[in-house]
Amino acid sequence: MELQNQTSHSEFHLLGLTDNRKLLPLIFTMFLSIYLITVLGNMLIILAISSGTQLHTPMYLFLSVLSINDICYSTVTIPKMLVNIQAQDDSISYTECLSQICFVSIFGGMENFLLAVMAYDRYVAICKPLRYTIIMNPFCCVLMVLFSLFLSIMDALLHSLMVLRLSFCTELEIPHFFCELAQIIKLACSDTFLNNFLIFVAAFVFGGGPVCGIIFSYIYIVSSVLKMTSSGGNHRAFSTCASHLSVVSLFYGTGFGVYISSAVTDSLKNTAMASMMYSVVPPLLNPFIYSLRNREMKEALRKLVGRFIFLV
């Protein structure tokens, strides 16, 4: 097949979630609503934490960073899809596509690391309560956030730079609503062994490490909680972990669903729908999970909304 210079004039085409143009207004409305709710929900979480002095703790610091990350994660993909639908143009330039791959990897990886950091925070709070303020001091918290961001950027740059070495065929149609790394690699006409090998290694190191950290943290947490003699202490300990466990289940559950979907089905549309669940749903639902399952957060949001109504 004919090759073309991807760095100068290549253009990809995002096929989206459906071929039926009659459904595009519905899809536009649905994704616009999802994006607005995601941004508004996460902004409320950030404002509630910043305005509530009782929430100035490591756990809520990490939650506010997670909310910022979720806003960025959604902003990388959904607005471009909305613009394409509105303009009735499914094209995306090579530079835009590569940038999207890079930023999706950064914010997806950042969410992965943040969930592990939040699990460690819960481990220290429950298993080592007397040393909690010493271990989780402000410097340590900021350092963990910055280190998570550094690892995410390194992972994203590795994948992005490896994509630069690929040559692409003239048929550059992506059965997705954004440039997903795996789909881009499938379009390459050149050898992709190194790219696929790097994905495997990165998933094992950057994905497996945080997952193992979360699992070991909760093994120690459950062990400590079971040793507590007070039933009230058990309930308080588990309640502080409930929201985090829900978010972890949502993030890794949808990610595992994408892997299973791509493995058992040949339908590109089904795979695109599964990837949509992974990239869109967690940022949308995270604010609701933390606001509905956390008494302190509900109280802070109630005060924030009351203050806003008073000002209006």
Side-chain angles (χ1 to χ4, degrees):
M1 285 193 291
E2 182 185 351
L3 302 182
Q4 57 185 20
N5 188 339
Q6 70 271 28
T7 59
S8 59
H9 57 265
S10 286
E11 188 177 72
F12 297 95
H13 295 274
L14 299 170
L15 301 184
L17 301 176
T18 180
D19 298 324
N20 189 346
R21 290 196 168 273
K22 293 181 180 180
L23 293 177
L24 290 181
L26 176 62
I27 293 175
F28 179 88
T29 303
M30 181 181 72
F31 273 85
L32 178 61
S33 301
I34 288 173
Y35 181 65
L36 292 177
I37 293 171
T38 299
V39 173
L40 179 61
N42 284 288
M43 280 299 298
L44 284 174
I45 294 291
I46 295 167
L47 290 173
I49 292 173
S50 61
S51 62
T53 54
Q54 75 277 13
L55 300 183
H56 292 175
T57 62
M59 181 177 76
Y60 292 107
L61 166 67
F62 297 137
L63 177 57
S64 62
V65 175
L66 182 68
S67 294
I68 294 171
N69 187 77
D70 283 341
I71 292 174
C72 296
Y73 197 13
S74 297
T75 302
V76 171
T77 57
I78 297 180
K80 177 59 179 177
M81 176 191 184
L82 297 176
V83 169
N84 282 5
I85 293 176
Q86 189 68 21
Q88 297 185 354
D89 178 14
D90 62 4
S91 64
I92 181 171
S93 69
Y94 177 83
T95 303
E96 287 178 312
C97 192
L98 189 63
S99 299
Q100 207 171 60
I101 290 172
C102 183
F103 284 111
V104 166
S105 298
I106 288 174
F107 297 123
M110 187 67 176
E111 183 127 354
N112 181 42
F113 290 118
L114 280 174
L115 291 177
V117 168
M118 294 170 80
Y120 177 73
D121 172 73
R122 292 298 83 208
Y123 157 73
V124 177
I126 293 172
C127 300
K128 301 181 179 181
L130 298 179
R131 300 182 59 196
Y132 180 71
T133 55
I134 298 174
I135 297 174
M136 301 302 293
N137 60 77
F139 176 77
C140 180
C141 293
V142 172
L143 189 64
M144 284 192 286
V145 170
L146 292 178
F147 187 62
S148 298
L149 179 60
F150 172 75
L151 291 178
S152 302
I153 292 174
M154 289 300 296
D155 180 44
L157 286 177
L158 280 173
H159 291 302
S160 301
L161 291 174
M162 289 298 289
V163 170
L164 284 173
R165 59 179 285 277
L166 299 177
S167 298
F168 295 94
C169 308
T170 54
E171 296 296 328
L172 299 176
E173 295 182 340
I174 304 170
H176 215 312
F177 69 94
F178 71 92
C179 290
E180 189 180 47
L181 178 63
Q183 297 297 332
I184 295 298
I185 292 176
K186 288 180 181 178
L187 295 177
C189 291
S190 53
D191 182 45
T192 60
F193 173 78
L194 286 178
N195 296 79
N196 289 317
F197 179 74
L198 179 62
I199 289 177
F200 175 79
V201 173
F204 181 78
V205 176
F206 296 117
V211 170
C212 289
I214 292 171
I215 292 172
F216 282 116
S217 293
Y218 276 101
I219 288 174
Y220 283 108
I221 288 171
V222 171
S223 176
S224 295
V225 169
L226 292 178
K227 293 177 183 177
M228 293 180 182
T229 56
S230 169
S231 59
N234 289 350
H235 176 74
R236 283 194 300 273
F238 277 123
S239 65
T240 61
C241 299
S243 299
H244 179 257
L245 278 174
S246 299
V247 171
V248 167
S249 300
L250 179 65
F251 182 74
Y252 290 109
T254 51
F256 185 69
V258 172
Y259 175 78
I260 293 297
S261 175
S262 61
V264 303
T265 180
D266 294 328
S267 173
L268 296 177
K269 294 301 178 185
N270 289 343
T271 303
M273 287 295 294
S275 295
M276 186 266 294
M277 293 291 292
Y278 175 72
S279 58
V280 173
V281 174
L284 171 67
L285 295 183
N286 284 353
F288 295 99
I289 293 172
Y290 273 101
S291 60
L292 294 176
R293 300 183 66 94
N294 189 301
R295 186 171 57 188
E296 291 178 328
M297 182 58 67
K298 283 192 287 187
E299 183 62 28
L301 286 171
R302 192 178 298 113
K303 289 181 180 178
L304 179 67
V305 172
R307 193 178 302 132
F308 176 77
I309 293 174
F310 176 77
L311 291 175
V312 173

